[in-house]
Amino acid sequence: MTCTQVKALRDPISIAAEKIRKLEVQGGRNVAIAAITATENLASQTKAITKKEFLRELHRARETLFGSRETEPLMRNAIRLIIDQVEKNTDKSIRKLAETVSTASERFLKDLENSKERIAEIGAKRIRNNSTILTHCHSSTVTHLLKKARQDGRVFEIICTETRPVFQGKTTAREMLDIDVKTTFIIDSAMRFFMNKVDLAIVGADAITSEGNVINKIGTSMAALVAQEARTPFYVVSELLKFDPATMYGDYEKIEERDAAEVWKDAPKNLIIRNPAFDVTRRDFIHGIICEEGIISPHSVAEVIRRKYPWVFR
Ligand code: RUB
């Protein structure tokens, strides 16, 4: 290993980006937390002498983190806000600027935690006693909501999809078994078979667009489609800051395409394998977005965000 490679491995940003890329850290929320923590660590260890150098370091970190997963606006909004605070700070002392990173990071993490709790409080009320809920992939926001419902004494069952190709559904299944929830594990293509046997479908989100469409793990739009056919209410559970402001100004949210080896390791030569990580669920399929501001219609999402987090649009 070369000196540069060793140095890169020790750097908190490269370590975090690598974990995010490899899905050792998964889910929009955990990705954002890992990126924020790494940025805070980078700032506390900086050897920069001038503000210009410090900012250059932060901008480099931003590029590396944003490149680690393309469909994660919560991470992007967080890092953008933190760097913005440093840029606005007129102080020239690096210690003070590093403190700004730390204060902004801690505040963001605290707000994120509060949102998670608020979402769980609101959403848990929709989990009726003796109901069955279907979920797809692993969303820490969804499982937190379900844990809250359980703490509130609600008895319910979960059906979770395995979520090919990386099987994040196994994490959901384990978390549900840990809180004594009766859990059934199904293959993704059994979604339609089970959808008319459940009372509710709940999924997380990676990104929300200005039109109120939701981007989440590949297969989510299929779940939404079959939920509509089965007349099963379909809810998205998400922090508002998963909103991507660039979609307001014409950009499309990028859909990350992952390594083909995740789908088939020793695939025959010349076989084309496609592995998109996410898909878009149109707002018409979504009953409501359960967020920190309540259960809102996907149609009103941009308006609610503009009111609650006006800085996102700047
Ligand atoms: C995870 C996924 C989750 C959202 C929401 O995909 O699609 O539903 O990220 O998760 P991956 P959370 O495993 O590819 O990251 O509520 O934890 O933010």
Side-chain angles (χ1 to χ4, degrees):
M1 205 179 277
T2 67
C3 274
T4 328
Q5 280 169 325
V6 171
K7 191 167 169 278
L9 281 178
R10 286 205 201 103
D11 146 38
I13 299 295
S14 313
I15 294 170
E18 190 61 9
K19 284 188 175 163
I20 293 170
R21 211 172 288 121
K22 287 185 176 160
L23 293 186
E24 282 169 30
V25 173
Q26 84 44 248
R29 200 166 192 287
N30 291 331
V31 164
I33 293 172
I36 296 166
T37 311
T39 308
E40 200 179 350
N41 289 340
L42 174 81
S44 71
Q45 298 168 17
T46 186
K47 300 266 182 304
I49 297 172
T50 62
K51 181 175 178 182
K52 199 169 160 196
E53 270 174 35
F54 186 55
L55 275 171
R56 203 179 303 133
E57 218 171 19
L58 288 176
H59 291 159
R60 252 201 318 263
R62 180 179 62 192
E63 296 318 307
T64 308
L65 291 168
F66 287 10
S68 65
R69 289 203 84 182
E70 286 172 314
T71 320
E72 300 299 353
L74 179 63
M75 158 167 68
R76 294 201 295 270
N77 287 331
I79 302 302
R80 212 160 53 83
L81 181 70
I82 294 164
I83 297 182
D84 199 44
Q85 305 287 306
V86 178
E87 278 166 352
K88 276 196 197 131
N89 192 337
T90 50
D91 216 310
K92 288 199 176 63
S93 138
I94 299 299
R95 192 175 54 82
K96 285 270 192 275
L97 295 174
E99 263 171 38
T100 303
V101 171
S102 173
T103 313
S105 302
E106 292 304 316
R107 196 179 306 133
F108 197 98
L109 290 172
K110 191 161 176 282
D111 289 349
L112 205 56
E113 188 60 25
N114 290 341
S115 296
K116 182 174 88 171
E117 292 307 328
R118 187 79 193 112
I119 291 169
E121 259 169 47
I122 297 164
K125 294 185 199 158
R126 290 288 164 110
I127 310 297
R128 291 183 194 277
N129 238 343
N130 303 316
S131 60
T132 303
I133 295 122
L134 185 142
T135 190
H136 181 51
C137 194
H138 173 260
S139 152
S140 60
T141 325
V142 169
T143 56
H144 192 67
L145 181 160
L146 294 170
K147 286 173 193 172
K148 174 77 173 79
R150 193 74 196 93
Q151 269 166 22
D152 292 349
R154 236 60 58 70
V155 176
F156 56 90
E157 278 184 40
I158 286 289
I159 296 186
C160 52
T161 57
E162 58 177 357
T163 319
R164 284 270 301 150
V166 189
F167 301 103
Q168 290 93 330
K170 290 183 182 173
T171 308
T172 307
R174 283 194 197 100
E175 283 188 28
M176 291 300 102
L177 291 174
D178 282 349
I179 54 164
D180 288 329
V181 167
K182 187 172 165 191
T183 304
T184 307
F185 191 69
I186 62 169
I187 57 172
D188 300 327
S189 42
M191 259 185 215
R192 187 164 180 232
F193 184 90
F194 285 99
M195 196 54 92
N196 60 9
K197 299 172 181 58
V198 305
D199 301 287
L200 199 66
I202 308 186
V203 297
D206 284 273
I208 307 176
T209 73
S210 61
E211 293 137 311
N213 300 329
V214 166
I215 292 148
N216 190 52
K217 178 53 56 194
I218 190 83
T220 300
S221 69
M222 213 153 57
L225 195 69
V226 293
Q228 190 172 67
E229 183 199 37
R231 296 180 191 277
T232 300
F234 183 89
Y235 284 92
V236 171
V237 178
S238 176
E239 298 81 0
L240 286 170
L241 286 173
K242 286 182 176 162
F243 178 77
D244 181 355
T247 58
M248 189 70 143
Y249 307 109
D251 287 332
Y252 283 107
E253 182 67 38
K254 282 207 185 83
I255 303 287
E256 176 193 353
E257 182 127 5
R258 297 185 59 83
D259 194 345
E262 282 183 350
V263 178
W264 192 350
K265 242 195 193 100
D266 51 355
K269 209 172 153 238
N270 296 333
L271 178 69
I272 298 164
I273 297 178
R274 298 287 308 270
N275 186 18
F278 304 105
D279 63 18
V280 183
T281 301
R282 269 202 2 247
R283 64 181 182 185
D284 319 296
F285 293 88
I286 301 168
H287 275 64
I289 297 182
I290 306 176
C291 66
E292 61 270 39
E293 286 294 274
I295 302 184
I296 62 170
S297 156
H299 292 76
S300 64
V301 77
E303 194 188 308
V304 177
I305 291 161
R306 194 180 284 285
R307 206 175 51 228
K308 173 97 178 156
Y309 303 107
W311 58 264
V312 166
F313 293 92
R314 285 199 286 268

